[in-house]
Amino acid sequence: MASNALPLTWFVTYLLLAVCETKMDSMKLNQFPKTETMLSMFAGRNLKSSYTGANTEVNVLSYGAVGDGVADDTQAFTSAWKAACAQSDSIIVVPAGLQFLIKPTTFLGPCASGLTFQILGTVIAPGDPSSWSGMNTKTWLVFDSLDGFSMNGGGTIDGRGKKWWTLSCRRDPTNACSSAPTAVLIRRGTSTTIENLTFQNSQQMHLEFLECNGVMASGITINTPCDSPNTDGIHLSFSQAVVIQNSLIGTGDDCISIQSGSANVRIKNVQCGPGHGISIGSLGEDGSVANVKDIILNGATLRGTTNGLRIKSWQGGQGSVSGVQYENVKMVNVANPIIIDQFYGCSKQQYCNNQTLAVQVNGISYRNIHGTSSTPVAVHFACSDTFPCKNLVLQNIDITYVSTKGAAASFCENAHGSSIGPIAPQSCLQ
Ligand SMILES: *[C@@H]1O[C@H](CO)[C@@H](O)[C@H](O)[C@H]1NC(C)=O
Ligand SMILES: *[C@@H]1O[C@H](CO)[C@@H](O)[C@H](O)[C@H]1NC(C)=O
């Protein structure tokens, strides 16, 4: 029996992967170089790793948690939270080898300093959307208004989102379009560290930082099927001084999504795929004002994704994207390796007429980008007539079209800038 099971599992897995045309890279996190702490991002604050005093451990089992994956452990977690929140340098311990079922909950600060949530085991969401009935369906676990909060431990946070996915109108156009919960939302946090955790099967986005200042996200694994709708990996909105590093992200939407109000973001050593790539935007929807600036991505591999390095904005929006540097990126079979699209959403009829306003794209550089494109156009700059893209820089680009193993093409519309060194496909910048 057992000997038959393996080929069947392999076959089913193969079919699933074939639909999304990619699989998660097998590289293990411990192959990454040592975690860089970038203390300067945390201006004047001691990170937990340098703390040498006594910690108070608050084990959720002591507060009545069962951990059998069936019993509702929400009350135990909120009681443990209250106790830990009141005392400085507390560690809430979620033990290994157990599964804790937690219903939608907000863990509210402010708390005494140095609070750590150490997840060694697994935290699971209710699998059934009805658990949200009468509640706000926007979130599952919220950590609100905390200073110096850490979450780590090597454990798993599993949104069990399958039933939510089947309700999505992206999955089935006969469904009404409605949103599903963000699995983990960190809101109004200062100096937050999220380290060494796996996030999977989120209902919608996996890990969102909203109005945060000082974020270190390191050693994050996101492992969710490529056909899961709207499941962004790490999503930033109105957050500054952010480091995302040493992480493996495979999901059904953007691996990393950088939204309006984000600035001073550093991304390094990230593997993305399956997914929709590393995206800035979409920005400026419904005439809104959006600003993103000072983003540096240095060191990433994108594998089989539908986009690589993407900036997307809606016509009619306002604001700007400026000061973005992409460096040392490897593309493997990526559909749109380099793309700026100021006509995002144009498949929706009402946005297709030309509009004069647009989010200005200015000062975007691409250095040492190499690998393969799964489509003939590897570089695509579609910019508006009234707000052309300015100061784009291409330097040392080598992307080939995978089918012909030869030259790919570039597309430019209202794209201004310069190129340095060898550029393939040939630059079409004005
Ligand atoms: C995270 O994992 C890395 C690599 O295994 C390890 O060096 C580091 O101490 C871990 N951090 C925490 C807070 O457990
Ligand atoms: C929009 O502008 C582009 C570029 O000038 C032009 O080619 C296209 O025909 C215009 N479309 C409409 C619907 O006016």
Side-chain angles (χ1 to χ4, degrees):
M1 283 300 284
S3 60
N4 285 336
L6 189 65
L8 181 63
T9 309
W10 177 84
F11 181 65
V12 171
T13 307
Y14 177 78
L15 280 182
L16 286 174
L17 295 174
V19 174
C20 299
E21 293 180 333
T22 186
K23 66 184 174 74
M24 190 114 180
D25 194 82
S26 59
M27 183 171 174
K28 291 287 181 293
L29 281 172
N30 57 18
Q31 288 175 258
F32 283 121
K34 212 166 182 291
T35 298
E36 184 194 325
T37 53
M38 295 194 73
L39 281 162
S40 60
M41 289 294 190
F42 292 80
R45 172 164 294 284
N46 291 325
L47 285 176
K48 291 296 295 175
S49 52
S50 60
Y51 178 77
T52 51
N55 294 112
T56 309
E57 288 201 0
V58 176
N59 193 314
V60 294
L61 295 177
S62 313
Y63 287 80
V66 177
D68 64 357
V70 180
D72 179 357
D73 288 327
T74 313
Q75 188 61 51
F77 271 51
T78 52
S79 302
W81 178 267
K82 272 194 193 128
C85 179
Q87 274 193 72
S88 60
D89 302 307
S90 295
I91 303 181
I92 300 171
V93 179
V94 178
L98 297 172
Q99 279 201 333
F100 298 89
L101 174 65
I102 307 297
K103 290 194 167 169
T105 304
T106 295
F107 297 96
L108 190 60
C111 288
S113 68
L115 180 58
T116 298
F117 215 115
Q118 188 179 51
I119 301 174
L120 304 161
T122 301
V123 175
I124 61 174
D128 199 326
S130 68
S131 294
W132 273 260
S133 75
M135 300 180 73
N136 181 349
T137 56
K138 288 201 162 116
T139 51
W140 171 34
L141 304 174
V142 181
F143 296 88
D144 195 338
S145 303
L146 296 160
D147 176 42
F149 175 63
S150 300
M151 186 150 62
N152 58 34
T156 299
I157 297 176
D158 188 336
R160 298 208 296 174
K162 283 202 176 80
K163 285 193 179 158
W164 287 99
W165 304 341
T166 60
L167 295 173
S168 165
C169 62
R170 288 216 182 166
R171 264 285 178 88
D172 176 353
T174 64
N175 286 334
C177 288
S178 57
S179 65
T182 293
V184 175
L185 171 65
I186 314 285
R187 181 165 61 202
R188 296 186 282 251
T190 48
S191 305
T192 307
T193 304
I194 310 290
E195 200 175 356
N196 301 351
L197 288 170
T198 295
F199 296 77
Q200 62 193 27
N201 303 321
S202 68
Q203 302 87 345
Q204 195 162 305
M205 291 187 265
H206 287 84
L207 175 60
E208 178 178 2
F209 296 95
L210 173 64
E211 295 171 36
C212 287
N213 197 343
V215 170
M216 167 64 75
S218 185
I220 305 293
T221 300
I222 293 175
N223 184 13
T224 293
C226 53
D227 60 352
S228 59
N230 296 108
T231 50
D232 284 354
I234 300 177
H235 189 92
L236 305 177
S237 301
F238 297 98
S239 292
Q240 291 99 42
V242 177
V243 179
I244 299 170
Q245 64 179 9
N246 303 348
S247 295
L248 293 174
I249 306 176
T251 190
D253 206 309
D254 293 331
C255 290
I256 297 174
S257 164
I258 300 171
Q259 299 295 327
S260 183
S262 303
N264 191 6
V265 176
R266 303 289 175 262
I267 301 170
K268 57 188 292 186
N269 219 349
V270 167
Q271 306 232 2
C272 166
H276 294 182
I278 296 173
S279 295
I280 296 176
S282 59
L283 303 174
E285 187 171 6
D286 293 328
S288 60
V289 180
N291 287 292
V292 170
K293 65 174 185 188
D294 187 12
I295 313 290
I296 302 177
L297 177 153
N298 187 345
T301 300
L302 294 107
R303 211 173 281 274
T305 51
T306 57
N307 297 280
L309 309 171
R310 173 164 64 158
I311 298 175
K312 48 179 171 170
S313 66
W314 300 74
Q315 288 195 83
Q318 296 177 66
S320 72
V321 180
S322 64
V324 180
Q325 296 174 37
Y326 299 108
E327 291 173 33
N328 303 315
V329 179
K330 184 178 176 191
M331 304 282 177
V332 182
N333 208 19
V334 170
N336 297 293
I338 293 177
I339 178 166
I340 297 177
D341 179 9
Q342 285 192 314
F343 301 91
Y344 185 73
C346 215
S347 54
K348 289 189 189 172
Q349 188 66 33
Q350 69 268 34
Y351 294 102
C352 276
N353 293 328
N354 284 341
Q355 298 187 37
T356 45
L357 291 175
V359 177
Q360 173 77 68
V361 175
N362 182 13
I364 317 293
S365 64
Y366 303 86
R367 295 197 170 84
N368 303 328
I369 317 288
H370 63 100
T372 56
S373 173
S374 65
T375 65
V377 179
V379 177
H380 185 112
F381 295 133
C383 305
S384 96
D385 290 342
T386 37
F387 289 87
C389 297
K390 296 192 295 193
N391 301 309
L392 306 183
V393 176
L394 293 167
Q395 180 173 6
N396 299 334
I397 310 291
D398 182 8
I399 307 173
T400 54
Y401 177 32
V402 82
S403 294
T404 59
K405 295 189 169 60
S410 297
F411 171 86
C412 292
E413 190 174 297
N414 304 310
H416 298 263
S418 56
S419 62
I420 306 164
I423 309 292
Q426 203 173 354
S427 169
C428 57
L429 294 171
Q430 291 170 258

PDB file of all heavy atoms in Angstrom, residues 35 152 195-196, ligand 1:
ATOM      1  N   THR A  35      21.786  36.470   9.193  1.00  0.00           N
ATOM      2  CA  THR A  35      20.826  37.569   9.258  1.00  0.00           C
ATOM      3  C   THR A  35      21.518  38.886   9.584  1.00  0.00           C
ATOM      4  O   THR A  35      22.275  38.988  10.533  1.00  0.00           O
ATOM      5  CB  THR A  35      19.799  37.278  10.365  1.00  0.00           C
ATOM      6  OG1 THR A  35      19.116  36.100  10.027  1.00  0.00           O
ATOM      7  CG2 THR A  35      18.802  38.400  10.513  1.00  0.00           C
ATOM      8  N   ASN A 152       8.434  35.156  16.721  1.00  0.00           N
ATOM      9  CA  ASN A 152       9.438  34.266  16.140  1.00  0.00           C
ATOM     10  C   ASN A 152       9.197  32.839  16.604  1.00  0.00           C
ATOM     11  O   ASN A 152       8.116  32.526  17.089  1.00  0.00           O
ATOM     12  CB  ASN A 152      10.849  34.759  16.517  1.00  0.00           C
ATOM     13  CG  ASN A 152      11.058  34.831  18.020  1.00  0.00           C
ATOM     14  OD1 ASN A 152      10.533  34.022  18.780  1.00  0.00           O
ATOM     15  ND2 ASN A 152      11.825  35.816  18.469  1.00  0.00           N
ATOM     16  N   GLU A 195      10.281  36.983  12.745  1.00  0.00           N
ATOM     17  CA  GLU A 195      11.463  36.210  12.364  1.00  0.00           C
ATOM     18  C   GLU A 195      11.213  34.708  12.443  1.00  0.00           C
ATOM     19  O   GLU A 195      10.588  34.222  13.382  1.00  0.00           O
ATOM     20  CB  GLU A 195      12.596  36.588  13.333  1.00  0.00           C
ATOM     21  CG  GLU A 195      13.969  36.275  12.834  1.00  0.00           C
ATOM     22  CD  GLU A 195      15.046  36.798  13.786  1.00  0.00           C
ATOM     23  OE1 GLU A 195      14.712  37.468  14.780  1.00  0.00           O
ATOM     24  OE2 GLU A 195      16.217  36.505  13.530  1.00  0.00           O
ATOM     25  N   ASN A 196      11.715  33.989  11.460  1.00  0.00           N
ATOM     26  CA  ASN A 196      11.709  32.524  11.481  1.00  0.00           C
ATOM     27  C   ASN A 196      10.317  31.934  11.709  1.00  0.00           C
ATOM     28  O   ASN A 196      10.088  31.179  12.658  1.00  0.00           O
ATOM     29  CB  ASN A 196      12.666  31.998  12.571  1.00  0.00           C
ATOM     30  CG  ASN A 196      14.092  32.472  12.365  1.00  0.00           C
ATOM     31  OD1 ASN A 196      14.413  33.051  11.343  1.00  0.00           O
ATOM     32  ND2 ASN A 196      14.941  32.231  13.342  1.00  0.00           N
TER      33      ASN A 196
HETATM   34  C1  LIG B   1      16.308  32.677  13.289  1.00  0.00           C
HETATM   35  O1  LIG B   1      16.989  31.681  12.566  1.00  0.00           O
HETATM   36  C2  LIG B   1      18.374  31.982  12.364  1.00  0.00           C
HETATM   37  C3  LIG B   1      18.950  30.932  11.432  1.00  0.00           C
HETATM   38  O2  LIG B   1      18.648  29.655  11.888  1.00  0.00           O
HETATM   39  C4  LIG B   1      19.053  32.033  13.724  1.00  0.00           C
HETATM   40  O3  LIG B   1      20.414  32.374  13.561  1.00  0.00           O
HETATM   41  C5  LIG B   1      18.377  33.088  14.586  1.00  0.00           C
HETATM   42  O4  LIG B   1      18.915  33.101  15.878  1.00  0.00           O
HETATM   43  C6  LIG B   1      16.874  32.831  14.676  1.00  0.00           C
HETATM   44  N1  LIG B   1      16.246  33.932  15.379  1.00  0.00           N
HETATM   45  C7  LIG B   1      15.406  33.771  16.393  1.00  0.00           C
HETATM   46  C8  LIG B   1      14.870  34.991  17.029  1.00  0.00           C
HETATM   47  O5  LIG B   1      15.065  32.663  16.796  1.00  0.00           O
END
